[in-house]
Amino acid sequence: MDQQASIDFITQSDFQKIKYAFTDIDGVLRGKVIHRQKFLDGLTDGYGFCDVVWGWDSADTPYDNGQLTGWHSGYPDAPVRLDLTTLRQIPWENNIPFFLADFSRPDGNDLAACPRSLLKRIAAQCRELGFHAEYAQEFEWFNFRETPQSLQQKGFQRLEPLTPGMFGYSILRPSLESKFYHDLFDWLIQFDIPLEGLHTETGPGVYEAAIMHDEVVRAADKAALFKTAVKEIAYRHDLVATFMAKWNADLPGCSGHIHQSLWDLNKTRNLFFDSARPNNMSELMRQFIAGQLHCLPHITPMFAPTINSYKRLVEGAWAPTTLTWSMDNRTTALRVLNHKAAYTRVEHRVSGADTNPYLAIAAALASGLYGIRHQLPLTVAASVGNGYADKQNGVLPTNLADATMAMAHSPIATELFGAEFVDHFTRTRDWEWRQYARQVSDWELKRYFEII
């Protein structure tokens, strides 16, 4: 919907309140409900929003190393702008109008920490190079017969899954919870997040959904909203959904794979497909893959942003550990799918379900464009068979501390995203690591308490 149509919809409707939200650095939706008059008054000058949302973590604890904002600045308001083209209505909340927002500014001096603003800038660079970026993200997540209160009372232990056992691609299991299953599919369509597919994955109570592909910013919008929408729909069925990368050491992790392709600006030709070249791979596609492999060790925290992310990235767990690519092989970091021009794409398999979609997709696109700009040759051979064993090009970082350190000191990361963003983002990841390092885990107690 264009901007004027959105304004007309609000002014001509009976809705007295409007909801808006944006993602913070962790991908958590933050926002509020405002009166229709407040909405109309802010159309020109924007709205003020406390910039503490860029100065605290996902648990609302202020960073002790922040530069962008903090006690030193007094946490003032920052101007947030609603993107009027993102109007949708929330079907499970009486169709209240909803807008996505970001901290971009008309003069181009965007807030460095804003993930959506960062992706918009990368998408603009893509268009300037003459490409239309088409993207989609898919997610796996676990569902439990719990509430936020019961999770706390149980200490996040002995949780009851939606359904028992390992039963991937089951037709039987969703029939047990057909109302939830169909509400997910139907309400997400009504919320302008159409799904290409929805099914069970292997694991108790785990689902996987693939979102329909779209222009890269709109694709990230849908992915960011998808995670919160699923949680809200689950609440209405007395369930809790989690997008943790690895909630249980004995069960598979949850991915957030990114599907990506570049087209001409008219979106009439997939520029990754070339039937005259080996494996139907155009030179542009090879440069794109080369760029992603080259940049990946420098920007891993954007695909694996939490302590828990690296518990998923282990051998034999359906997630990659090596800097590899392949033709339709699920053991590598990048998987090429190109049996037909219309569906030719590169699947980025490092990204987990715990990512901020704006940052993960921005990282994927920016690193691919890096390969094109620098005309990097794809010198790494495609992996055949077990990609975990193919370490010819190196391996991924194994923890957030190492990954963050590499990104913080990387000129490549700075070239891709700018020094201000890299500084802020890596400070937040350093904070995350330090919060983890000072904790005493159950594993430590069980291993050392009596014996040592």
Side-chain angles (χ1 to χ4, degrees):
M1 187 175 293
D2 64 35
Q3 297 188 30
Q4 190 56 52
S6 295
I7 296 172
D8 292 343
F9 174 82
I10 299 299
T11 56
Q12 295 169 16
S13 73
D14 295 328
F15 290 106
Q16 295 300 309
K17 55 189 177 184
I18 292 92
K19 180 180 283 191
Y20 75 86
F22 53 87
T23 71
D24 65 13
I25 204 72
D26 288 292
V28 177
L29 276 185
R30 308 277 187 173
K32 60 177 71 173
V33 171
I34 58 175
H35 192 277
R36 62 184 287 137
Q37 191 58 51
K38 175 77 170 179
F39 166 81
L40 295 172
D41 291 345
L43 290 177
T44 302
D45 299 326
Y47 312 84
F49 206 102
C50 179
D51 77 357
V52 72
V53 294
W54 309 113
W56 62 20
D57 64 15
S58 58
D60 292 4
T61 304
Y63 302 127
D64 65 3
N65 60 350
Q67 294 293 312
L68 185 67
T69 189
W71 302 116
H72 62 279
S73 65
Y75 297 112
D77 278 354
V80 62
R81 292 185 176 275
L82 275 57
D83 184 339
L84 298 182
T85 68
T86 65
L87 173 63
R88 49 202 0 114
Q89 293 175 263
I90 307 176
W92 55 90
E93 286 191 7
N94 299 316
N95 287 315
I96 182 175
F98 176 90
F99 291 93
L100 276 164
D102 57 47
F103 288 74
S104 57
R105 295 164 183 164
D107 61 4
N109 187 27
D110 300 342
L111 184 72
C114 178
R116 190 171 191 266
S117 299
L118 176 69
L119 177 57
K120 286 165 64 176
R121 177 158 55 86
I122 303 299
Q125 294 171 7
C126 185
R127 289 191 297 272
E128 290 169 3
L129 290 171
F131 309 130
H132 166 89
E134 193 77 2
Y135 271 65
Q137 194 161 11
E138 60 180 82
F139 291 101
E140 298 166 347
W141 76 96
F142 282 79
N143 302 284
F144 296 91
R145 297 184 188 280
E146 303 289 348
T147 66
Q149 290 78 14
S150 72
L151 291 176
Q152 296 289 334
Q153 291 165 1
K154 291 183 174 183
F156 297 88
Q157 300 294 320
R158 302 183 184 277
L159 307 181
E160 182 182 354
L162 175 65
T163 54
M166 312 291 275
F167 206 164
Y169 303 105
S170 172
I171 295 299
L172 180 63
R173 283 290 184 256
S175 68
L176 282 171
E177 300 293 335
S178 60
K179 187 66 166 65
F180 174 53
Y181 194 74
H182 291 291
D183 277 352
L184 280 172
F185 203 95
D186 297 340
W187 276 346
L188 286 168
I189 288 176
Q190 294 172 43
F191 196 46
D192 192 25
I193 309 177
L195 300 184
E196 183 179 276
L198 174 66
H199 62 87
T200 65
E201 253 294 357
T202 184
V206 61
Y207 284 176
E208 178 177 354
I211 304 171
M212 287 280 195
H213 59 84
D214 204 339
E215 181 274 332
V216 64
V217 176
R218 291 196 296 268
D221 286 344
K222 291 175 180 178
L225 291 175
F226 173 86
K227 294 170 68 173
T228 296
V230 165
K231 292 175 184 178
E232 292 187 2
I233 294 169
Y235 283 161
R236 280 149 182 79
H237 290 267
D238 299 318
L239 303 171
V240 170
T242 180
F243 289 82
M244 276 186 69
K246 187 86 166 178
W247 86 270
N248 186 304
D250 298 324
L251 295 172
C254 293
S255 70
H257 300 156
I258 301 168
H259 295 261
Q260 43 193 350
S261 58
L262 295 182
W263 297 65
D264 61 11
L265 290 177
N266 294 322
K267 202 188 168 187
T268 58
R269 186 166 64 94
N270 189 333
L271 301 178
F272 280 177
F273 187 87
D274 187 345
S275 60
R277 297 185 64 86
N279 294 319
N280 296 328
M281 293 174 61
S282 70
E283 183 60 24
L284 190 82
M285 184 189 213
R286 294 178 65 84
Q287 292 173 353
F288 189 89
I289 292 172
Q292 292 198 324
L293 291 176
H294 181 75
C295 296
L296 186 50
H298 300 265
I299 57 175
T300 303
M302 297 177 77
F303 300 108
T306 72
I307 299 296
N308 184 249
S309 302
Y310 299 83
K311 307 296 176 68
R312 167 181 165 264
L313 298 174
V314 295
E315 292 189 9
W318 299 99
T321 60
T322 55
L323 298 173
T324 46
W325 72 279
S326 68
M327 305 299 299
D328 196 7
N329 182 329
R330 288 182 169 86
T331 66
T332 58
L334 304 177
R335 172 181 173 231
V336 172
L337 297 159
N338 65 343
H339 65 282
K340 188 176 181 181
Y343 304 112
T344 292
R345 62 196 186 275
V346 178
E347 180 188 32
H348 203 301
R349 295 180 58 82
V350 178
S351 179
D354 58 344
T355 51
N356 180 328
Y358 292 114
L359 298 186
I361 290 175
L365 179 56
S367 57
L369 295 179
Y370 179 94
I372 293 172
R373 283 198 188 94
H374 293 271
Q375 297 185 325
L376 296 183
L378 183 56
T379 57
V380 180
S383 294
V384 178
N386 185 358
Y388 297 115
D390 185 355
K391 300 177 182 179
Q392 61 174 316
N393 197 44
V395 297
L396 291 168
T398 58
N399 61 71
L400 183 60
D402 291 345
T404 298
M405 183 69 69
M407 184 172 178
H409 294 93
S410 170
I412 288 177
T414 299
E415 178 181 341
L416 294 179
F417 311 117
E420 284 187 286
F421 171 80
V422 172
D423 179 69
H424 177 74
F425 180 65
T426 56
R427 285 175 183 273
T428 70
R429 297 312 91 189
D430 172 69
W431 162 268
E432 193 76 8
W433 173 260
R434 288 187 289 113
Q435 302 320 293
Y436 168 73
R438 61 198 291 261
Q439 301 303 313
V440 177
S441 67
D442 289 346
W443 183 90
E444 292 169 277
L445 289 172
K446 292 174 183 176
R447 191 169 185 87
Y448 304 129
F449 188 92
E450 180 186 5
I451 303 300
I452 295 298

Short mmCIF file of all heavy atoms in Angstrom, two decimals, residues 389-410:
data_model
loop_
_atom_site.label_atom_id
_atom_site.label_comp_id
_atom_site.label_asym_id
_atom_site.label_seq_id
_atom_site.Cartn_x
_atom_site.Cartn_y
_atom_site.Cartn_z
N ALA A 389 33.59 -32.35 6.85
CA ALA A 389 34.97 -32.81 6.70
C ALA A 389 35.78 -31.95 5.73
O ALA A 389 36.99 -32.10 5.64
CB ALA A 389 34.98 -34.27 6.23
N ASP A 390 35.10 -31.06 5.02
CA ASP A 390 35.77 -30.24 4.01
C ASP A 390 36.23 -28.93 4.64
O ASP A 390 35.49 -27.95 4.69
CB ASP A 390 34.80 -29.98 2.85
CG ASP A 390 35.47 -29.23 1.70
OD1 ASP A 390 36.65 -28.85 1.83
OD2 ASP A 390 34.80 -29.02 0.66
N LYS A 391 37.46 -28.91 5.11
CA LYS A 391 38.00 -27.74 5.80
C LYS A 391 39.05 -27.01 4.98
O LYS A 391 39.88 -26.27 5.51
CB LYS A 391 38.56 -28.16 7.15
CG LYS A 391 37.49 -28.80 8.05
CD LYS A 391 38.05 -29.29 9.37
CE LYS A 391 36.94 -29.96 10.20
NZ LYS A 391 37.44 -30.48 11.48
N GLN A 392 39.00 -27.20 3.65
CA GLN A 392 39.98 -26.60 2.75
C GLN A 392 39.99 -25.08 2.81
O GLN A 392 41.02 -24.44 2.61
CB GLN A 392 39.71 -27.04 1.31
CG GLN A 392 38.33 -26.61 0.79
CD GLN A 392 38.10 -26.92 -0.67
OE1 GLN A 392 38.97 -26.69 -1.50
NE2 GLN A 392 36.92 -27.46 -1.00
N ASN A 393 38.83 -24.50 3.13
CA ASN A 393 38.72 -23.04 3.13
C ASN A 393 38.60 -22.47 4.54
O ASN A 393 38.39 -21.27 4.71
CB ASN A 393 37.51 -22.62 2.28
CG ASN A 393 37.55 -21.15 1.90
OD1 ASN A 393 38.60 -20.63 1.52
ND2 ASN A 393 36.42 -20.48 2.00
N GLY A 394 38.68 -23.32 5.55
CA GLY A 394 38.58 -22.85 6.92
C GLY A 394 37.27 -23.24 7.57
O GLY A 394 36.39 -23.85 6.96
N VAL A 395 37.13 -22.84 8.84
CA VAL A 395 35.95 -23.19 9.63
C VAL A 395 35.36 -21.93 10.25
O VAL A 395 36.00 -20.88 10.32
CB VAL A 395 36.30 -24.20 10.74
CG1 VAL A 395 36.80 -25.50 10.15
CG2 VAL A 395 37.34 -23.61 11.70
N LEU A 396 34.12 -22.05 10.68
CA LEU A 396 33.44 -20.93 11.34
C LEU A 396 33.94 -20.76 12.77
O LEU A 396 34.40 -21.73 13.39
CB LEU A 396 31.93 -21.20 11.37
CG LEU A 396 31.19 -21.16 10.03
CD1 LEU A 396 29.78 -21.71 10.19
CD2 LEU A 396 31.14 -19.74 9.49
N PRO A 397 33.85 -19.55 13.32
CA PRO A 397 34.15 -19.36 14.74
C PRO A 397 33.27 -20.27 15.59
O PRO A 397 32.14 -20.56 15.23
CB PRO A 397 33.84 -17.89 15.00
CG PRO A 397 33.90 -17.24 13.65
CD PRO A 397 33.46 -18.28 12.67
N THR A 398 33.80 -20.69 16.73
CA THR A 398 33.06 -21.64 17.56
C THR A 398 32.41 -21.02 18.79
O THR A 398 31.75 -21.72 19.55
CB THR A 398 34.01 -22.77 18.03
OG1 THR A 398 35.10 -22.19 18.76
CG2 THR A 398 34.54 -23.55 16.85
N ASN A 399 32.58 -19.72 18.98
CA ASN A 399 31.91 -19.05 20.10
C ASN A 399 31.75 -17.57 19.79
O ASN A 399 32.41 -17.03 18.90
CB ASN A 399 32.67 -19.27 21.41
CG ASN A 399 34.08 -18.72 21.36
OD1 ASN A 399 34.27 -17.50 21.35
ND2 ASN A 399 35.09 -19.59 21.32
N LEU A 400 30.88 -16.94 20.55
CA LEU A 400 30.55 -15.54 20.29
C LEU A 400 31.72 -14.62 20.56
O LEU A 400 31.90 -13.61 19.87
CB LEU A 400 29.33 -15.13 21.14
CG LEU A 400 28.82 -13.71 20.93
CD1 LEU A 400 28.39 -13.47 19.48
CD2 LEU A 400 27.66 -13.40 21.88
N ALA A 401 32.55 -14.93 21.56
CA ALA A 401 33.68 -14.06 21.89
C ALA A 401 34.65 -13.97 20.73
O ALA A 401 35.06 -12.87 20.32
CB ALA A 401 34.39 -14.57 23.13
N ASP A 402 35.05 -15.10 20.16
CA ASP A 402 35.99 -15.10 19.04
C ASP A 402 35.38 -14.44 17.81
O ASP A 402 36.05 -13.68 17.10
CB ASP A 402 36.42 -16.53 18.71
CG ASP A 402 37.28 -17.16 19.78
OD1 ASP A 402 37.79 -16.42 20.65
OD2 ASP A 402 37.44 -18.39 19.77
N ALA A 403 34.12 -14.74 17.55
CA ALA A 403 33.46 -14.16 16.39
C ALA A 403 33.35 -12.64 16.51
O ALA A 403 33.54 -11.90 15.54
CB ALA A 403 32.07 -14.78 16.23
N THR A 404 33.03 -12.16 17.71
CA THR A 404 32.90 -10.73 17.95
C THR A 404 34.24 -10.02 17.80
O THR A 404 34.33 -8.94 17.20
CB THR A 404 32.30 -10.46 19.34
OG1 THR A 404 31.00 -11.03 19.40
CG2 THR A 404 32.22 -8.98 19.64
N MET A 405 35.28 -10.62 18.35
CA MET A 405 36.61 -10.03 18.24
C MET A 405 37.03 -9.90 16.79
O MET A 405 37.58 -8.87 16.36
CB MET A 405 37.62 -10.88 19.01
CG MET A 405 39.03 -10.32 19.03
SD MET A 405 39.17 -8.80 20.03
CE MET A 405 38.91 -9.47 21.68
N ALA A 406 36.76 -10.94 16.00
CA ALA A 406 37.12 -10.90 14.58
C ALA A 406 36.37 -9.78 13.86
O ALA A 406 36.96 -9.06 13.04
CB ALA A 406 36.83 -12.25 13.94
N MET A 407 35.09 -9.62 14.16
CA MET A 407 34.31 -8.59 13.50
C MET A 407 34.74 -7.19 13.94
O MET A 407 34.82 -6.27 13.12
CB MET A 407 32.82 -8.79 13.77
CG MET A 407 31.93 -7.81 13.04
SD MET A 407 30.16 -8.22 13.18
CE MET A 407 29.45 -6.84 12.25
N ALA A 408 35.01 -7.03 15.22
CA ALA A 408 35.36 -5.71 15.75
C ALA A 408 36.63 -5.16 15.12
O ALA A 408 36.78 -3.94 14.98
CB ALA A 408 35.52 -5.79 17.27
N HIS A 409 37.54 -6.04 14.72
CA HIS A 409 38.83 -5.60 14.17
C HIS A 409 38.92 -5.82 12.67
O HIS A 409 40.01 -5.76 12.09
CB HIS A 409 39.97 -6.33 14.88
CG HIS A 409 40.10 -5.97 16.33
ND1 HIS A 409 39.49 -6.70 17.32
CD2 HIS A 409 40.73 -4.94 16.94
CE1 HIS A 409 39.75 -6.14 18.50
NE2 HIS A 409 40.50 -5.08 18.30
N SER A 410 37.78 -6.04 12.02
CA SER A 410 37.80 -6.37 10.60
C SER A 410 37.56 -5.15 9.72
O SER A 410 36.49 -4.52 9.80
CB SER A 410 36.72 -7.41 10.28
OG SER A 410 36.56 -7.55 8.89
#
